[in-house]
Structure formats: structure tokens, C-alpha cells
Amino acid sequence: EPEVTQTPSHQVTQMGQEVILRCVPISNHLYFYWYRQILGQKVEFLVSFYNNEISEKSEIFDDQFSVERPDGSNFTLKIRSTKLEDSAMYFCASSETRNTEAFFGQGTRLTVV
Amino acid sequence: QKEVEQDPGPLSVPEGAIVSLNCTYSNSAFQYFMWYRQYSRKGPELLMYTYSSGNKEDGRFTAQVDKSSKYISLFIRDSQPSDSATYLCATRKGGSQGNLIFGKGTKLSVKP
């Protein structure tokens, strides 16, 4: 069964460093999303991406964050100058259309020290 | 007022019990409602999806939406130990099915 894959599963980074989280969405999907889940808190929407541009973003998704589809298969989330409070699980998701189910990856646990 | 509220539990039931999980939401404009299941250290997995009011059944699972009271429910019949997970309610906020607002999740444990 097709699935969304995320790498790495766990990343540790020093405060102030840049990190790139990687995702391979399901191959025929056109809509891509990033979410985060701080330990013990809700899963929170960050951004949606379609046709090579951001279609929606939350107030969390500030200038520190950026997304990119660098090639035909990968979808990345870049966090510039990480802060301690960026420590969280980051989930990538994709959907075939804007009205069909979003499938989630297994997540990347980001730890900022 | 939070947009989606959910009692985080935990909830512990014996195998075979009927489980009732509930959420409330604040915005009457919300139309799409979902229940996700999340196992420990995994991504959310869609269980049920309903549009507007009414019931939807899928095997042992029934999702119910009452728009008049802004209340959504998930019922699990004949619960199994494999149902032990965190259950997240969600509603679609934006223009796509991936722009979701989640509840905090209810952790369910089904004891054999």
C-alpha cells in the first residue's frame, strides 16, 4: 500500500542551526501538508502546498519556516535558526485532491538542544 | 474558546465494551468532521469521515455529528485490545482536506 515516508525518524540539532525535514508523498498526490505535534499537545496544521506554491498556512508558519518541492518526489520543511520550542514531532501528509483524505507519514521527531 | 475540544482521558475499558468518544467544536461553519487514530510514535490514520450532520457506520465504528449542539462522537462496539490508541477528532478548517484542526486526542486502553 502506498505510504508517505519521512526522513530522518529522529533529528537532534543545536539551537540556532538550520534543519531540513524530508518527506516523500504518495506518488499521485498533488496536495502536501506539514503538521507539528509538541509533546502532550495537539497536532497543529502548519502549511499546505499545491502546484509549487503555498496555498494555506497557519500563524505558526512564520518566516522561520519554508517549504519546497525540490524535485518530483520530495517535499521538504526547512526551519531556519531553530529554537528550543521547535522541538516536536513533525508530520508530513499528502492528498490526491483538495477534497480527499490526507494520509500522514510516521513523523520526524525533532529535538533542539 | 478553543475551536475543537476533546477530553484527553485516559479512558480504560474491558475488552468487548462499547466505547464513546466525544468532541465539541465552536464554529458552526465547520462542515467536515473526521476521526483519526494514532498509535504511539506513529502518524494519525483516518478512521471515519462525515459531512454535516448524521451518522456513518463502518464495521464496529460509528461516527455521529450533531450540528445543533456542535457535538461529534465516535462509538466503538465490541472493543478490542488492538483498538488501544489515541483517538483524535478533527474538522476541516480551510480550503483543503489537509487543513485540519485537531482535538487534543483521547487515549484509549482496552484491557483483555
Side-chain angles (χ1 to χ4, degrees), chain A residues 46-64:
Chain A
L46 292 178
V47 65
S48 62
F49 190 85
Y50 169 71
N51 200 26
N52 270 326
E53 59 184 32
I54 291 172
S55 47
E56 294 170 298
K57 62 181 181 178
S58 72
E59 58 275 11
I60 302 168
F61 193 87
D62 59 20
D63 292 344
Q64 180 196 14

Side-chain angles (χ1 to χ4, degrees), chain A:
Chain A
E1 186 173 320
E3 58 181 13
V4 176
T5 56
Q6 292 186 243
T7 54
S9 56
H10 188 197
Q11 177 142 9
V12 181
T13 189
Q14 291 208 323
M15 193 169 52
Q17 294 296 303
E18 175 183 286
V19 293
I20 297 176
L21 309 182
R22 301 179 192 280
C23 168
V24 178
I26 294 172
S27 63
N28 64 330
H29 286 189
L30 300 177
Y31 288 77
F32 314 115
Y33 314 94
W34 283 102
Y35 284 80
R36 78 172 184 192
Q37 185 175 29
I38 296 170
L39 187 64
Q41 297 189 26
K42 294 183 177 187
V43 177
E44 299 173 292
F45 171 78
L46 292 178
V47 65
S48 62
F49 190 85
Y50 169 71
N51 200 26
N52 270 326
E53 59 184 32
I54 291 172
S55 47
E56 294 170 298
K57 62 181 181 178
S58 72
E59 58 275 11
I60 302 168
F61 193 87
D62 59 20
D63 292 344
Q64 180 196 14
F65 295 93
S66 62
V67 289
E68 191 179 30
R69 187 149 164 86
D71 53 43
S73 59
N74 290 284
F75 179 51
T76 61
L77 174 70
K78 183 190 290 186
I79 309 175
R80 286 182 277 276
S81 189
T82 49
K83 303 190 276 279
L84 294 176
E85 54 266 36
D86 294 326
S87 296
M89 280 289 282
Y90 287 82
F91 293 107
C92 174
S94 68
S95 63
E96 190 173 353
T97 73
R98 62 191 293 270
N99 291 320
T100 51
E101 175 187 355
F103 290 83
F104 284 74
Q106 303 286 63
T108 292
R109 180 175 302 278
L110 176 66
T111 303
V112 183
V113 296

Side-chain angles (χ1 to χ4, degrees), chain B:
Chain B
Q1 184 181 13
K2 294 180 182 173
E3 291 183 289
V4 177
E5 297 213 49
Q6 182 175 10
D7 184 344
L11 182 63
S12 182
V13 301
E15 183 175 354
I18 296 174
V19 176
S20 172
L21 304 167
N22 307 292
C23 289
T24 58
Y25 62 94
S26 59
N27 191 335
S28 57
F30 293 150
Q31 297 279 6
Y32 299 86
F33 304 95
M34 282 131 289
W35 284 95
Y36 281 81
R37 178 173 60 196
Q38 186 177 25
Y39 292 110
S40 183
R41 299 183 181 277
K42 302 287 187 185
E45 169 197 2
L46 183 66
L47 268 181
M48 301 285 288
Y49 159 63
T50 52
Y51 173 72
S52 194
S53 276
N55 291 2
K56 186 172 184 178
E57 193 172 315
D58 184 2
R60 295 185 295 111
F61 298 89
T62 300
Q64 202 170 74
V65 177
D66 181 348
K67 292 204 76 184
S68 62
S69 58
K70 301 193 188 74
Y71 201 79
I72 55 179
S73 303
L74 178 70
F75 299 97
I76 307 174
R77 288 183 297 283
D78 187 25
S79 55
Q80 303 295 309
S82 58
D83 295 328
S84 297
T86 297
Y87 290 80
L88 312 172
C89 60
T91 185
R92 174 172 162 174
K93 179 170 186 176
S96 63
Q97 199 66 355
N99 186 346
L100 302 173
I101 305 170
F102 282 91
K104 200 169 182 181
T106 300
K107 187 168 185 178
L108 171 67
S109 178
V110 181
K111 304 291 188 188

